[in-house]
Structures are given as structure tokens and as C-alpha cells.
Amino acid sequence: MDTISAFVTLLLVMDPVGNVPVFLSVLKDVDARRRQWVIFRELLIALLVLFIFLFAGPSLLAVLGLQQESISIAGAIILFLIALRMIFPSPYGMMGDTPEGEPFIVPLAIPLVAGPSSLAIAMLMVNTDPDRMLDWSVALIGAWAVSAVLLMASPLLLKALGNRGLIAMERLMGMILVIIAVQMFFDGVREFLHIPL
């Protein structure tokens, strides 16, 4: 894998375009003046988590006695719960009873930007060629930067869609996230049990 293919792979699994409806849904109750700051903060947290897994992921999992598949299964469960809240909204909003209704780390930073797939790919790149950390870092920063630009522009879509459009997109994205979460769960279980495709 070269730097360009690593960049493209990371960008695809971060899926910024697919994450835009979820960002809009989670942030719809956040004050418009704070929205950009919240997105930027969550993106920085995601970048930090990605770099931790890039440089120390395999060691961290070994110290905690965890297997890589557990990241996939845990991420699937979190995504499934988020999806259910999107399809069947709570009167307390997407994030429940949180200060100012703001998300913090979950679900925007983790698992949407720094999700199980991107964390696993970061660790896979290091395992494949540990001597090319500069290349992997450049690919990671590049993919994150493109994702950041697209996600920072997501509030503009909120104005364009309006409330009804956002509700319709939220329900549709919730259904898609349920399917993705179930697939992630099965992938994690299959890898854990070493079942071939």
C-alpha cells in the first residue's frame, strides 16, 4: 500500500459524505453559534484517537488484553443504538440529557470519524510496514483534513434542507445505520471466530 492508496482507503472508511446527515441530526439542537466549534472539537478528538491507534494501537490492545475484533463489535453496538434513536427519537433529543444537548466524543468523534474501520486500517498499515510511519501519518492527516472540510460545511446543508427535509434524511440514515451496524457486528464476530467469507 502506498501513501495515496492509504489516503483513499482511510477517506472512504471515514465516509464524511455519509456522516453529514448524522452530524446534522445530532447537532440540530445545538445552538447555531456553537455548532462549528463543536464539530471542530469533535474532529480534533477523532484525529487524536486515530493517531493514538496509528502509533500505539496494537500495543494498547495487547496491554488491555483486547482483540481487534472487539473494536468492530463495540462500534457496531454504539452505531445500532444511535440508529435506533434516529428512527425513534427520544423527547430528550439524540444525545439524551447532556449539557446544552451537545455531543462529546460519542457519537461524532467516535465512532463516526474515528470508527472501527478507520482504527483497524490505521493499525493494519503499521503492521504491514512499521518503517513508513511518516507516509501513514501524511495519509491519515490528508484523509482527516478532507473529512473535516466536508463535515464543517454540514451546517450549510441544515439551512438548505429545512426541518422536514432533515427529519426525512434522519429517518433514512437511521435505517441505513442499522444495516451498517449489523454488518459491522457480524464482521467482528466472523473475524473473532475465524469464519471464512
Side-chain angles (χ1 to χ4, degrees):
M1 185 182 289
D2 59 18
T3 308
I4 300 296
S5 60
F7 160 77
V8 171
T9 304
L10 282 166
L11 184 60
L12 288 174
V13 296
M14 285 181 190
D15 191 19
V17 175
N19 285 337
V20 164
V22 187
F23 267 63
L24 290 177
S25 175
V26 170
L27 294 168
K28 69 181 177 185
D29 297 324
V30 175
D31 183 66
R33 290 168 296 180
R34 283 192 57 82
R35 221 171 268 148
Q36 292 286 41
W37 159 245
V38 171
I39 293 172
F40 184 66
R41 181 191 67 203
E42 297 301 300
L43 285 165
L44 283 179
I45 292 168
L47 182 62
L48 178 65
V49 170
L50 285 163
F51 264 109
I52 288 170
F53 272 80
L54 182 68
F55 283 92
S59 304
L60 184 63
L61 292 180
V63 167
L64 295 173
L66 299 174
Q67 296 184 29
Q68 199 164 319
E69 294 81 11
S70 61
I71 298 172
S72 181
I73 294 171
I77 293 168
I78 292 169
L79 273 184
F80 186 78
L81 294 173
I82 292 165
L84 286 181
R85 283 201 166 210
M86 289 173 74
I87 299 168
F88 307 107
S90 162
Y92 302 106
M94 175 75 75
M95 300 312 301
D97 188 18
T98 56
E100 302 175 9
E102 277 187 18
F104 184 65
I105 300 177
V106 175
L108 301 184
I110 303 169
L112 291 178
V113 179
S117 301
S118 51
L119 296 176
I121 286 171
M123 289 188 289
L124 181 65
M125 291 187 310
V126 177
N127 287 336
T128 305
D129 196 343
D131 297 325
R132 297 178 58 200
M133 291 306 290
L134 179 61
D135 290 342
W136 306 144
S137 299
V138 168
L140 180 60
I141 290 171
W144 175 86
V146 172
S147 297
V149 168
L150 292 170
L151 293 170
M152 289 292 285
S154 63
L156 299 175
L157 282 177
L158 181 58
K159 292 179 183 175
L161 286 172
N163 199 39
R164 284 179 183 265
L166 182 60
I167 290 170
M169 186 177 274
E170 183 179 349
R171 300 290 193 278
L172 176 62
M173 195 59 198
M175 291 298 296
I176 293 169
L177 275 184
V178 166
I179 297 165
I180 292 170
V182 170
Q183 184 63 53
M184 279 171 54
F185 182 83
F186 284 142
D187 288 346
V189 170
R190 180 180 50 76
E191 289 169 21
F192 178 74
L193 298 175
H194 305 292
I195 300 170
L197 285 172

